[in-house]
C-alpha cells in the first residue's frame, strides 16, 4: 500500500507525565515517520471544535476540560496504512480493554485520560490535519 498520513495528539496526561518521548519512540519503532509536530496549549474553543462530533455526549465538557488542562503535542504521521495502523498501535479507547503492547495499555490512566488520539478514518485524518497544520507545515 502507498504511504498515507494520519493525525495524532499526545494528550495532556501523557505530556505532563513525561511519556511523550516514549510514545514518539514507540511510534517510530512501529514504522511511523513524524512529518511535523507542535507542542501547544489548546484553547477551549479549539478543543470544542476538534471534538465537536462528541458535543452531545455526557463526557463532552469533561473531555474538553481534560484536553485543555495542559500542553499537548499535535502530530502528522506517515506510513503505509497509517490510519488503521495508528488505531491498532494506540489500542482500545478504554485502556482496560487495550491489547498488550499498545500505547494505551502501557501509558493510559482511564477511558478519558487515555494519552493519545488518532484519526478514525482517512477522511477524518484529512480534516484533522488541516485543522492544526498548514500546507507548508505538511510539505516536509
Ligand atoms: P480519540 O478520538 O481521542 O482518538 P477514540 O476514537 O478511541 O479516541 P472516541 O469515542 O472518539 O474514542 O472518544 C474521544 C475521547 O473522548 C476518548 O479518547 C476519551 O478521551 C474520551 N471518552 C470517550 N468515551 C468516554 C467515556 N465514556 N467517558 C469519558 N471520556 C470518554
Ligand atoms: Mg475518536
Amino acid at each position: 500500500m502507498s504511504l498515507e498520513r494520519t493525525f495524532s495528539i499526545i494528550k495532556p496526561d501523557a505530556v505532563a507525565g513525561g511519556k511523550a518521548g516514549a510514545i514518539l519512540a514507540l511510534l517510530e519503532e512501529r514504522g511511523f515517520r513524524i512529518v511535523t509536530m507542535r507542542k501547544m496549549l489548546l484553547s477551549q474553543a479549539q478543543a470544542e471544535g476538534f471534538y465537536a462530533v462528541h458535543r452531545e455526549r455526557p463526557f463532552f465538557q469533561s473531555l474538553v476540560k481534560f484536553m485543555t488542562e495542559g500542553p499537548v503535542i499535535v502530530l502528522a504521521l506517515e506510513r503505509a496504512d497509517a490510519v488503521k495502523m495508528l488505531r491498532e498501535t494506540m489500542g482500545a479507547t478504554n485502556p482496560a480493554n487495550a491489547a498488550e503492547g499498545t500505547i494505551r495499555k502501557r501509558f493510559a490512566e482511564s477511558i478519558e485520560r487515555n494519552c493519545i488520539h488518532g484519526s478514525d478514518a482517512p477522511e477524518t485524518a484529512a480534516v484533522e490535519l488541516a485543522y492544526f497544520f498548514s500546507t507548508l507545515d505538511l510539505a516536509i
Side-chain angles (χ1 to χ4, degrees):
M1 189 186 182
S2 58
L3 290 177
E4 182 179 68
R5 288 182 175 187
T6 191
F7 175 74
S8 183
I9 303 178
I10 302 178
K11 295 184 180 182
D13 56 331
V15 174
K19 308 299 185 199
I23 291 171
L24 290 170
L26 196 147
L27 289 169
E28 289 192 322
E29 273 166 30
R30 303 286 169 88
F32 291 92
R33 182 175 78 83
I34 298 166
V35 178
T36 192
M37 65 180 177
R38 181 167 73 243
K39 185 174 182 178
M40 63 183 294
L41 194 54
L42 291 177
S43 69
Q44 180 162 333
Q46 287 166 339
E48 286 175 354
F50 179 71
Y51 276 125
V53 63
H54 294 308
R55 64 186 173 276
E56 305 302 335
R57 308 285 286 277
F59 58 80
F60 181 68
Q61 285 310 325
S62 175
L63 174 61
V64 168
K65 188 160 183 279
F66 161 52
M67 290 299 291
T68 57
E69 75 180 26
V72 298
I73 297 174
V74 294
L75 295 162
L77 296 170
E78 184 177 80
R79 61 156 286 161
D81 215 4
V83 171
K84 181 164 155 271
M85 292 309 295
L86 178 60
R87 298 289 298 189
E88 280 188 30
T89 304
M90 285 162 43
T93 307
N94 186 345
N97 303 327
E100 285 301 328
T102 62
I103 291 172
R104 284 170 167 165
K105 178 74 176 184
R106 282 172 65 177
F107 301 114
E109 299 167 22
S110 69
I111 191 170
E112 177 174 85
R113 304 176 70 81
N114 61 2
C115 77
I116 188 166
H117 161 80
S119 305
D120 58 13
E123 301 71 32
T124 326
V127 171
E128 293 178 351
L129 285 167
Y131 190 78
F132 284 101
F133 297 117
S134 72
T135 305
L136 287 180
D137 289 328
L138 296 169
I140 303 176

